[in-house]
């Protein structure tokens, strides 16, 4: 048994405790959470740390199989050009891809990350994930713009799904600009109720332009890549309003990015009655589009907010703490305890890991992370992180 304490312990699902003590057994399961004057911790040996003790993070959006693409794309060119670069430059030797996946997994663990929602197109990350201390939910992406490709692509995704943890893998449409209306409809018949969806949503204003008016840079991108864009018709409304009604109502959906999601879109989503989470990837948004989502619009949905890193193709690190720093530096109305929920318990809920991780509670195995250099629970640039458990 270990008794671990710090200046402040933040369980996340309950109020923080000054000099709280967390008792864990040898497997890392929390067996007690105490105030420092509790009789249960008077005659035990306590490991005390200067700092703030929190549960491990949940990185709700990543593509670990793109980890070899660090520094391979040009910053600030907008989403369509970024996608073209990823498609052109992602090929490399399998050994390189595998070793970068392995490194990224280790780095995420030492960055205090306990669970990841990870998108894949291949089975290359399966072996690392099966050995990792990190919990993964793998989203196998499907994309198809031509009717004749839909069934083959769904079948291929099903084949890849088979290589990952069967309790924590689902197939998902990749994005509105890479999936036709017919593909979204085909998903309704192809999936069970427990199949979580995770869709790149409104990452660029160009996506809204494509759906509203059938204009913009996505058409140039399709031309350049030789894609048949005839599936897209002008809809006179934003992308989310066009595709969401085609998805099954009972499935959980994570909408990733939401950089150009308007108040009207949010109102539309709420009226659909769907179980929706919003995953914000601030550093990737700044890297690709130079813009952050309008987070004030999302204030009523506090329990629905998640944080992701996206991939090393559009980020310099897979580090949730640095994403939170960017959020707090850019939005005065947010505070640390608020965004900590987004990056822990909310992510655990969305990915189906909330029984095990996401908060310091008896019976959970959340991992313990120490934040050093905090002053009055303010997350400034100088705060650093150390994994304790
Ligand atoms: Zn992504």
């Amino acid at each position: 048994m270990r008794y671990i304490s710090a200046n402040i312990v933040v369980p996340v699902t309950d109020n923080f405790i000054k000099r709280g003590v967390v008792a864990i057994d040898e497997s890392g399961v929390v067996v007690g959470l105490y105030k420092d004057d509790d009789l249960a911790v008077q005659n035990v040996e306590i490991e005390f740390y200067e700092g703030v003790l929190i549960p491990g993070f949940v990185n709700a959006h990543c593509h670990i199989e793109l980890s070899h693409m660090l520094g391979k794309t040009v910053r600030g060119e907008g989403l369509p050009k970024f996608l073209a670069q990823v498609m052109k430059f992602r090929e490399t030797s399998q050994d390189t891809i595998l070793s970068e996946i392995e490194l990224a997994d280790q780095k995420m663990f030492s960055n205090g990350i306990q669970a990841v929602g990870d998108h894949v197109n291949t089975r290359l990350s399966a072996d690392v994930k099966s050995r990792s201390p990190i919990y993964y939910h793998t989203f196998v992406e499907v994309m198809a713009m031509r009717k004749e490709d839909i069934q083959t692509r769904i079948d291929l995704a099903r084949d890849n799904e088979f290589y990952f943890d069967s309790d924590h893998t689902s197939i998902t449409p990749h994005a509105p600009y890479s999936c036709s209306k017919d593909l979204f409809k085909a998903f309704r018949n192809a999936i069970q109720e427990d199949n979580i969806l995770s869709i790149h949503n409104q990452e660029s204003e160009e996506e809204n332009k494509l759906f509203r008016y059938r204009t913009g840079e996505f058409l140039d991108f399709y031309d350049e890549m030789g894609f048949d864009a005839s599936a897209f018709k002008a809809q006179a409304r934003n992308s989310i309003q066009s595709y969401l009604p085609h998805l099954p109502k009972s499935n959980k959906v994570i909408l990733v990015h939401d950089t150009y999601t308007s108040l009207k879109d949010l109102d539309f989503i709420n009226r659909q009655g769907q179980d929706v989470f919003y995953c914000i990837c601030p550093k990737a948004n700044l890297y690709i589009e130079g813009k952050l989502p309008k987070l004030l619009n999302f204030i009523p949905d506090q329990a629905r907010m998640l944080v992701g890193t996206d991939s090393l193709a559009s980020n310099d690190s897979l580090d949730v703490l640095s994403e939170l720093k960017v959020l707090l530096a850019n939005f005065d109305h947010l505070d640390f305890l608020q965004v900590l929920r987004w990056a822990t318990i909310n992510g655990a809920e969305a990915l189906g890991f909330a029984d095990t991780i996401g908060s310091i509670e008896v019976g959970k195995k959340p991992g313990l992370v120490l934040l050093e250099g905090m002053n009055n629970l303010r997350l400034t640039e100088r705060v650093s992180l150390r994994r304790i458990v």
Side-chain angles (χ1 to χ4, degrees):
M1 191 87 85
R2 285 170 77 186
Y3 294 88
I4 298 167
S5 179
N7 301 88
I8 296 179
V9 174
V10 186
V12 172
T13 41
D14 213 334
N15 293 335
F16 67 81
I17 313 169
K18 283 187 179 159
R19 302 182 76 87
V21 181
V22 186
I24 57 163
D25 68 14
E26 65 280 5
S27 67
V29 173
V30 176
V31 293
L33 177 60
Y34 308 99
K35 291 186 173 159
D36 67 337
D37 59 359
D38 195 299
L39 286 177
V41 291
Q42 293 317 301
N43 295 308
V44 298
E45 192 183 326
I46 291 176
E47 292 170 50
F48 185 84
Y49 297 95
E50 291 291 333
V52 177
L53 198 65
I54 61 170
F57 290 120
V58 178
N59 176 4
H61 184 74
C62 187
H63 306 246
I64 201 170
E65 66 183 19
L66 295 181
S67 295
H68 62 288
M69 294 205 67
L70 177 66
K72 299 253 167 70
T73 61
V74 182
R75 180 184 275 268
E77 299 222 303
L79 184 63
K81 291 201 177 73
F82 170 81
L83 293 169
Q85 291 175 46
V86 171
M87 295 180 80
K88 280 182 211 155
F89 304 134
R90 77 178 284 179
E91 292 302 320
T92 184
S93 79
Q94 189 161 312
D95 284 351
T96 306
I97 297 175
L98 290 175
S99 63
E100 293 301 329
I101 289 173
E102 181 112 41
L103 272 176
D105 173 72
Q106 290 164 4
K107 199 80 216 290
M108 280 200 278
F109 189 70
S110 61
N111 285 342
I113 292 169
Q114 214 68 21
V116 179
D118 190 60
H119 280 230
V120 304
N121 303 119
T122 72
R123 59 191 70 159
L124 291 174
S125 59
D127 176 48
V128 168
K129 286 173 178 171
S130 70
R131 289 183 279 114
S132 176
I134 293 178
Y135 296 88
Y136 282 93
H137 184 100
T138 299
F139 294 102
V140 185
E141 294 180 341
V142 181
M143 45 191 111
M145 289 158 60
R146 299 187 317 161
K147 215 167 195 162
E148 53 268 42
D149 292 333
I150 293 174
Q151 201 50 50
T152 346
R153 298 287 177 81
I154 291 179
D155 292 344
L156 178 66
R158 288 283 187 217
D159 284 349
N160 282 331
E161 188 184 18
F162 175 76
Y163 289 85
F164 297 91
D165 174 3
S166 57
D167 290 333
H168 277 289
T169 307
S170 48
I171 61 171
T172 190
H174 163 258
Y177 54 76
S178 62
C179 298
S180 64
K181 184 160 92 180
D182 290 326
L183 173 61
F184 279 107
K185 285 182 173 169
F187 253 84
R188 248 210 290 245
N189 305 321
I191 60 176
Q192 307 285 323
E193 269 195 14
D194 59 355
N195 187 111
I196 313 171
L197 302 171
S198 175
I199 305 174
H200 295 87
N201 178 61
Q202 295 171 297
E203 187 175 354
S204 165
E205 185 58 19
E206 295 301 319
E207 180 182 309
N208 284 332
K209 274 195 210 163
L210 174 69
F211 278 81
R212 292 191 85 85
Y213 318 114
R214 200 178 191 282
T215 56
E217 286 183 28
F218 267 109
L219 295 179
D220 305 335
F221 165 69
Y222 299 144
D223 259 358
E224 188 187 342
M225 305 308 293
F227 295 159
D228 175 1
S230 54
F232 295 103
K233 311 270 185 292
Q235 309 274 326
R237 54 195 166 163
N238 280 351
S239 57
I240 182 75
Q241 301 194 34
S242 304
Y243 73 83
L244 194 63
H246 301 309
L247 290 175
K249 286 261 181 293
S250 44
N251 290 65
K252 215 185 257 181
V253 183
I254 301 175
L255 298 178
V256 183
H257 293 299
D258 313 311
T259 325
Y260 295 86
T261 304
S262 67
L263 259 183
K264 215 168 162 184
D265 291 331
L266 289 169
D267 184 50
F268 176 87
I269 295 166
N270 290 336
R271 279 187 279 119
Q272 298 295 303
Q274 192 124 16
D275 196 1
V276 169
F277 289 86
Y278 303 98
C279 180
I280 307 302
C281 307
K283 285 174 66 189
N285 294 158
L286 291 175
Y287 185 100
I288 298 174
E289 291 270 330
K291 196 172 180 325
L292 291 167
K294 299 183 191 74
L295 288 185
L296 264 176
N297 290 351
F298 295 83
I299 286 302
D301 297 307
Q302 285 305 303
R304 303 259 148 201
M305 303 304 290
L306 317 175
V307 177
T309 58
D310 218 342
S311 76
L312 288 175
S314 59
N315 207 333
D316 59 1
S317 63
L318 303 177
D319 175 15
V320 172
L321 182 67
S322 70
E323 304 290 338
L324 298 186
K325 286 178 181 174
V326 170
L327 284 179
L328 293 172
N330 283 278
F331 297 97
D332 289 345
H333 65 280
L334 297 177
D335 68 56
F336 167 69
L337 291 177
Q338 188 179 10
V339 295
L340 181 61
R341 290 189 71 97
W342 303 7
T344 53
I345 190 65
N346 291 4
E349 292 279 1
L351 299 175
F353 293 119
D355 288 343
T356 320
I357 63 159
S359 59
I360 304 175
E361 286 182 83
V362 171
K364 286 194 182 185
K365 195 180 169 183
L368 292 177
V369 170
L370 184 74
L371 301 180
E372 296 173 299
M374 284 195 100
N375 200 349
N376 292 325
L377 289 175
R378 279 168 50 86
L379 187 60
T380 55
E381 205 38 61
R382 57 185 282 267
V383 174
S384 59
L385 169 157
R386 180 146 64 105
R387 181 180 274 282
I388 305 297
V389 175

